[in-house]
Amino acid sequence: MGPRGRGDKPGAPLYCAIPRQCAAMNPTLRRMFRILALLVVGWLALSCWVVIVLRFVPPWTSAMMMERRVELLFDGENVDFRHRWVPWNEVSPHVGIAMVAGEDQKFPFHHGFDVDAIQDAIDAADEGRRLRGASTISQQVAKNLFLWNGRSFVRKGLEAWYTVLIETFWPKRRILEVYMNIVELGDGVYGVGAASDAFFHEPPSRIGAAQAARLAAVLPNPRRFHADQPSAYVQRRTAWILQQMGQLGGPGYLDRPAPVRGRTR
């Protein structure tokens, strides 16, 4: 059968049907698309605004704290829930470097994501080895402050979005300050202020290097490990973190400029 000509009526719908359908799209459908677009743009703008505000205003709670409160409510567990915000200049400088040494040693230099750690985690998964954590402190702040526990692609995508916002609008010191104040350091104990009260019975400004390293040592599982009653594992990890703190150069490491690629110092 030869090609249809311009005057061949059966062929006309092939050229005209789709454009006509697009032009005559159901008004209700167009309205739904418009509303959806407005909602997405509004949410993006709102998330930016919230992150900018929290650069200056201490968050009174976090998504993870709220999730834990709901768990306790439904499970009927009797856990003493504690949280107290402490400004950066009222926290011992040992705490920040201990958490960086134990959790994210490239924190002062990366832009929210540790590409090398991510690649190592992917390689470990491909080889069937035990999965290693690749989350930076910035990613943990994004997750703890705004999101929920889980491993879905939606949550990871939102975590990446908030990580970009945090790294864009907050200085590194603010990121670490918020992290120290919202991270869970014991069952129901959130932040260095509450942890210093509960475990050491002294203000966070007087926490020593060993105590700071012990707080960082329980971070893999703060509901299982205890900073005030350290297990053998916590003691070993505390010693390793103390060693790393010394090798990094102590609290001054957090203020060092980023290394220049291709050069050694």
Side-chain angles (χ1 to χ4, degrees):
M1 181 182 294
R4 293 175 178 173
R6 292 183 178 178
D8 196 349
K9 293 183 179 180
L14 295 176
Y15 297 98
C16 303
I18 295 178
R20 287 177 180 175
Q21 288 177 1
C22 293
M25 182 182 294
N26 189 307
T28 302
L29 190 58
R30 287 205 306 271
R31 191 178 302 113
M32 290 176 58
F33 277 118
R34 189 178 299 114
I35 293 173
L36 180 61
L38 290 174
L39 287 175
V40 171
V41 172
W43 178 83
L44 293 176
L46 179 61
S47 61
C48 291
W49 179 80
V50 169
V51 170
I52 292 172
V53 169
L54 290 179
R55 172 177 177 172
F56 308 100
V57 179
W60 62 273
T61 188
S62 70
M64 287 299 175
M65 292 185 214
M66 295 173 65
E67 181 177 319
R68 181 59 174 157
R69 285 184 182 276
V70 172
E71 289 177 357
L72 294 174
L73 180 64
F74 280 93
D75 294 342
E77 296 182 47
N78 185 18
V79 175
D80 188 10
F81 197 93
R82 303 186 188 188
H83 174 245
R84 178 168 68 89
W85 176 271
V86 183
W88 174 272
N89 58 4
E90 296 181 16
V91 179
S92 166
H94 296 298
V95 177
I97 186 59
M99 292 187 174
V100 168
E103 294 291 296
D104 180 11
Q105 295 189 7
K106 296 180 182 178
F107 172 73
F109 314 128
H110 63 59
H111 298 289
F113 305 94
D114 188 342
V115 178
D116 293 334
I118 293 173
Q119 185 59 54
D120 290 343
I122 294 174
D123 293 342
D126 291 341
E127 296 172 8
R129 291 184 281 118
R130 184 174 64 90
L131 293 178
R132 299 173 54 190
S135 292
T136 64
I137 286 177
S138 302
Q139 289 175 274
Q140 293 181 54
V141 169
K143 180 189 73 174
N144 290 348
L145 195 56
F146 298 110
L147 304 173
W148 63 93
N149 278 312
R151 295 182 178 275
S152 68
F153 287 109
V154 172
R155 196 200 65 81
K156 293 300 291 185
L158 291 173
E159 178 185 301
W161 167 247
Y162 278 110
T163 299
V164 171
L165 292 184
I166 288 170
E167 283 281 342
T168 300
F169 295 116
W170 294 5
K172 287 289 187 176
R173 177 170 291 187
R174 179 59 174 177
I175 297 174
L176 190 55
E177 179 185 34
V178 173
Y179 180 69
M180 291 190 299
N181 275 282
I182 66 172
V183 67
E184 188 175 16
L185 295 168
D187 192 5
V189 179
Y190 291 84
V192 63
S196 63
D197 295 340
F199 305 141
F200 307 134
H201 308 292
E202 58 185 7
S205 60
R206 299 183 60 183
I207 292 178
Q211 292 172 318
R214 210 185 309 160
L215 288 178
V218 306
L219 286 176
N221 194 336
R223 298 180 193 177
R224 175 184 175 187
F225 304 123
H226 307 280
D228 55 341
Q229 298 177 349
S231 62
Y233 167 80
V234 172
Q235 292 176 356
R236 290 193 303 270
R237 183 163 170 79
T238 298
W240 179 82
I241 291 175
L242 280 169
Q243 181 184 38
Q244 295 300 305
M245 292 165 62
Q247 291 179 354
L248 292 175
Y253 174 75
L254 301 177
D255 299 320
R256 289 173 59 185
V260 179
R261 289 186 178 274
R263 298 182 183 179
T264 56
R265 298 191 297 174

